[in-house]
Structure formats: C-alpha cells, structure tokens
Amino acid sequence: MFDIKIIGGSIVDGDGVEAYEANIAIKDGIIVEVGDCTGDAANTIDAGGAIVTPGFIDLHTHYDGQISWDEEMKPSINHGVTTIVMGNCGVGFAPCRKTDHEKLIKLMEGVEDIPGTALAEGLTWDWESFPQYMDALDAIPNTLDFLAMVPHDPLRVFVMGDRAVFNEQATKADIKAMHDLTSEALAAGAVGFSTGRSDAHRSADGEWTPTSEAHPDELAGIAKAFNGFDYGVLHAVNDFDQERPGDQFEQEFDILETYFRAAPGHKASMTWMQRDLVPDHWKKIMKRAEDLQKDGVDLRLQAAPRGIGLFLGLQSTFHPLMAFPSYIEIADLSFEERVARLSDPILKEKMLSETPIKLAGTGTSVPPMTDIMIAMTEQIAGKMFKLSPDGSGKVDYEQGYVSSAAAEAERKGVSVWSVLYDWMLEDDGKMLIYFRSIIIRI
Ligand SMILES: [Zn+2]
C-alpha cells in the first residue's frame, strides 16, 4: 500500500535520458518505485499528458521580501520550483536597522523593479540582524525550500550608514565589521554572500547601489569570513562597466578574482550573460573562469535557460515612447486616458516626428541604459516582439526575427517606431512588448 501514486506521466528524471512513461509510487515521503507500481495507494494523481520531473532549484531569485509574508511563494511553486536561492545581486533586507527600512525598499525597487508599495505593505521586519531574519523566515511555513545569501548592499548600509550609498570606500574598521557580521550569518545558516557591481542597477532615487564600486580589499576582507566554514558560496554579478567609455573588463574581473581567491576551497559563482553593447564579453568571462578553474579556484558560471528580457508597455515602468516630448506631456494621465490620447493618429504622427530626450540623471531611477536602449531602438528592434504574438494571451519567449518589430516594419514599409506604437495600443493598450535584451549562449 503506497501513500501516493503518480500515474501516466512522462518522466524527465534529470539524468539526461529521454523522457519515458512510467508510474511513480511514494511511501513515507520517499519514491519507492518507478515503473508499473501495481499496488494500491491512498491517493492517486493522474499525470496523463503531463511531464513529471524532480523539483527545480532556482539559483537566482529576489524573494527576500516576499518570503517574510508569503507562505505559498507563487509563481515559482506553480512552475515546479522546489528550492530557491535568495539574496542575489547583493540586494536583500537583512541585516537592517529599523531606521533603514525605506532605504532598502528603494534599493530593491530600483534594482529589481519590485513595487516599493508592495514591499512596504508586506515586509514584516521582525528582524535587525541576519540570524534574526533567518529565525523570522523559519517561523512561518513555506511551500518550498529556500537558501539565503548575505547580500552586500544591506550589510554595507548596516555598517556604514549613509557613507555606504555615497560611493565612499570602507575603512579597515568597516571591513572588519562586515567580516564579523558575515561570519555570524554563515554560522546562522546563510548559504553564501553576494555582491553586485552593475551600473544598470540603481535605487528608486537614482543613486548608485552601495556596493557597485566597492574596493577589492573590502570584498576580500568579507570573503575571509568563509575561512573556517566547510560551506558557503561567493556570488557576484558584474556588468563590467559596459555603459562607460573604455573597456574595464580586465580590471573589473581582477577585482572579482581577488574576492574569489580570498576564501580558498570555497565555491564561487557569477552570472554569465551576453549583452548587446559588449557582445564578446561572455567569451572573455568564460576564458577567465576556465583559467581560474585550472588554478584551483572553483568558479562556476550561471547562465539562464532563456534570454533575459524586459516587458515594455503602457502599464510598465519602461517603454519605447517614454522619452518623446509629446508622450511626457501625457505621461501622468491615467492608463485609460493615455490609451485614448495615443489612439489619435494626429498625436502619433506628431510624436514620431520628435526626437526622444534623455531621461536618466540625478533624482530619477531611470538608468542610463534606458536612454541607450531608446537611442538604439532601430538597431535592436529585431529583438522586440509582441509577448503574445497572436493576441490570445499565450506568451512566446522564443520567437524568431520574422515576428520582430524590425521585420514587421520592413513588411509594412513603416518605421519601427510606428510598429511599436501600434503594438502597444493593441489589446486595449495592454499589449506587452518583449525585448530580449540579453542573449544566453552556451
Ligand atoms: Zn538579480
């Protein structure tokens, strides 16, 4: 007698073998048979027509806030994810003093586009220290397992206060304090430490993230906290200053190398992407990672299973029209009013005869990348698609050039701006444009 039988599914077991049809029997929480499973079961699940797989581990999430108030962890749980890793990109919510709550919410809002109001209403803030954060998460049930990394940004703000956000270098005493707090967090069960060096990441006030320019001594000083522990991963994201003039790749990677080498025997990992502005960086990252591997530094690269993209539309934070003067005039109107105004062909003609202005700058969360993307719209329109190409609501992330805005403009003999304008008005103004901004090549 089994507890559960899952019958009729197509099993993809993760070993790399072809999918196969079989039943699965579970007793006392353990899979006891894969095959016919002829015995009875208290509960039988018919998986006919579905794939049955082990749970997925999502290595890169930003559930650091949601996990404090949400037991279900949707949508990951619906996607078959059973373990998540949090604290990526150096952002998160612990450690945090009572006076810094808003600062960290603005940081997460700017970096990950998670609405600040949702965070402000949801976060329970039952903690100051990282160990207290872990206790708070343990106190509520969760549908999935989670691993928390110590995020560099909150740690730096906790130790350095306002000095952390104004690009000041950490003193020896600051570094010692960050080291000791990381050690305390690892002892409390943190799975690692993460830092973010991306210029595209800004707080909602437009400030640089506190750690984007951290000195290698600071990173190495913190990494030394791992020595003495037999677990712990050093994580990093870095865009290698792609938006700035000159190629900073080698010196930025040198900084990461110093960081990774400061905790010998520990694993290191970093996000691995190909970006439009620097299309060959992924090869350089691979070469330096392989060199480090040969030299005994266990650096693993993390690539996403599909390209990373942005959703652009009239209900989104960003979209291609947002820098046109005629759009800026109506930008503060309600969604319905904007859709009505934009539907006027006279406004369309006027807007598209204008030149977009620059949006990024002091006091705005708009990253300089937005201006670059808008300026490059004609070149990148081959990677812009309607998220739901047939308008049915069914999304397609893997469309080819033929359904891009560039191809549509060629077919119609109009500008890509005209195509994007019309697309955004489809579905009563709710159509999302999927811009596949980063390609993953393995
Ligand atoms: Zn991230």
Side-chain angles (χ1 to χ4, degrees):
M1 180 80 180
F2 305 118
D3 296 332
I4 301 171
K5 273 205 307 189
I6 303 170
I7 59 167
S10 175
I11 298 176
V12 179
D13 66 13
D15 281 347
V17 298
E18 290 288 315
Y20 56 93
E21 302 276 325
N23 301 328
I24 294 175
I26 297 165
K27 181 138 185 82
D28 298 328
I30 290 170
I31 294 174
V32 289
E33 193 183 333
V34 179
D36 293 339
C37 308
T38 45
D40 289 334
N43 185 6
T44 299
I45 299 167
D46 183 358
I51 292 171
V52 182
T53 73
F56 289 92
I57 300 170
D58 190 344
L59 292 170
H60 194 122
T61 79
H62 293 282
Y63 277 119
D64 310 69
Q66 186 175 333
I67 199 162
S68 80
W69 75 76
D70 182 10
E71 297 176 7
E72 290 193 304
M73 305 304 286
K74 287 178 180 172
S76 286
I77 194 71
N78 305 102
H79 296 162
V81 173
T82 50
T83 303
I84 54 164
V85 182
M86 314 182 298
N88 283 279
C89 296
V91 289
F93 298 105
C96 184
R97 293 184 204 288
K98 301 263 176 256
T99 47
D100 288 331
H101 292 172
E102 204 190 332
K103 214 174 268 169
L104 294 192
I105 287 174
K106 283 199 165 146
L107 192 58
M108 186 65 93
E109 187 179 13
V111 170
E112 302 298 340
D113 206 12
I114 297 174
T117 43
L119 291 168
E121 282 169 24
L123 274 161
T124 55
W125 293 119
D126 305 332
W127 61 86
E128 278 210 0
S129 72
F130 197 90
Q132 286 167 347
Y133 176 65
M134 298 289 272
D135 287 344
L137 303 190
D138 270 343
I140 63 167
N142 292 101
T143 52
L144 40 69
D145 296 322
F146 56 88
L147 299 161
M149 292 191 285
V150 185
H152 194 178
D153 283 312
L155 181 69
R156 200 171 203 263
V157 170
F158 190 81
V159 168
M160 295 173 61
D162 281 341
R163 288 186 297 123
V165 275
F166 295 118
N167 266 337
E168 278 195 36
Q169 294 302 347
T171 64
K172 281 207 167 76
D174 294 331
I175 296 172
K176 164 96 173 52
M178 285 189 262
H179 166 281
D180 292 351
L181 288 166
T182 301
S183 184
E184 178 190 84
L186 287 167
V191 73
F193 172 84
S194 85
T195 193
R197 301 181 70 81
S198 168
D199 291 347
H201 286 169
R202 300 290 172 115
S203 80
D205 283 339
E207 304 288 355
W208 295 74
T209 60
T211 64
S212 56
E213 301 298 309
H215 192 276
D217 287 351
E218 177 178 338
L219 290 167
I222 295 168
K224 283 182 185 143
F226 282 59
N227 299 327
F229 289 95
D230 61 1
Y231 56 88
V233 178
L234 291 167
H235 185 65
V237 292
N238 197 332
D239 61 10
F240 301 98
D241 292 341
Q242 59 167 344
E243 292 171 26
R244 296 194 217 172
D247 189 349
Q248 260 90 216
F249 179 83
E250 298 299 340
Q251 69 210 62
E252 273 294 312
F253 207 102
D254 289 346
I255 292 170
L256 294 181
E257 185 171 334
T258 305
Y259 164 56
F260 296 148
R261 282 188 184 280
H266 286 271
K267 286 191 170 22
S269 81
M270 64 180 286
T271 309
W272 187 27
M273 295 184 270
Q274 176 188 352
R275 296 179 164 93
D276 276 335
L277 294 180
V278 280
D280 63 338
H281 266 185
W282 69 276
K283 291 183 205 163
K284 292 185 178 181
I285 294 169
M286 185 169 71
K287 170 80 173 64
R288 294 240 3 207
E290 284 172 353
D291 289 349
L292 279 177
Q293 273 288 347
K294 280 183 210 140
D295 205 31
V297 179
D298 193 2
L299 170 61
R300 313 289 178 97
L301 301 178
Q302 294 184 9
R306 66 167 163 77
I308 297 173
L310 301 173
F311 295 150
L312 312 171
L314 296 172
Q315 292 180 303
S316 316
T317 313
F318 301 110
H319 61 75
L321 303 180
M322 64 191 287
F324 284 95
S326 290
Y327 185 82
I328 292 168
E329 272 176 35
I330 61 165
D332 292 334
L333 298 179
S334 70
F335 166 69
E336 290 77 14
E337 281 178 86
R338 279 181 291 136
V339 172
R341 298 283 287 273
L342 289 165
S343 303
D344 178 355
I346 296 169
L347 180 64
K348 178 182 174 186
E349 198 182 330
K350 177 169 182 277
M351 195 179 296
L352 298 191
S353 70
E354 297 167 347
T355 307
I357 62 156
K358 281 211 179 325
L359 295 173
T362 316
T364 161
S365 63
V366 178
M369 184 53 97
T370 307
D371 289 327
I372 296 172
M373 282 192 316
I374 290 172
M376 288 177 68
T377 295
E378 280 163 347
Q379 291 101 298
I380 60 184
K383 299 204 298 180
M384 289 178 160
F385 309 91
K386 282 195 278 188
L387 183 61
S388 175
D390 62 4
S392 68
K394 192 170 179 294
V395 304
D396 184 354
Y397 291 106
E398 300 188 342
Q399 302 176 54
Y401 179 83
V402 68
S403 54
S404 70
E408 179 76 350
E410 282 163 23
R411 273 192 297 272
K412 288 191 162 166
V414 298
S415 72
V416 296
W417 292 107
S418 173
V419 170
L420 293 169
Y421 190 110
D422 293 345
W423 279 4
M424 283 198 293
L425 284 171
E426 285 186 22
D427 196 12
D428 298 324
K430 296 196 190 102
M431 177 60 77
L432 287 170
I433 292 168
Y434 171 52
F435 170 41
R436 206 160 52 210
S437 56
I438 296 169
I439 300 172
I440 309 299
R441 255 192 212 160
I442 305 174

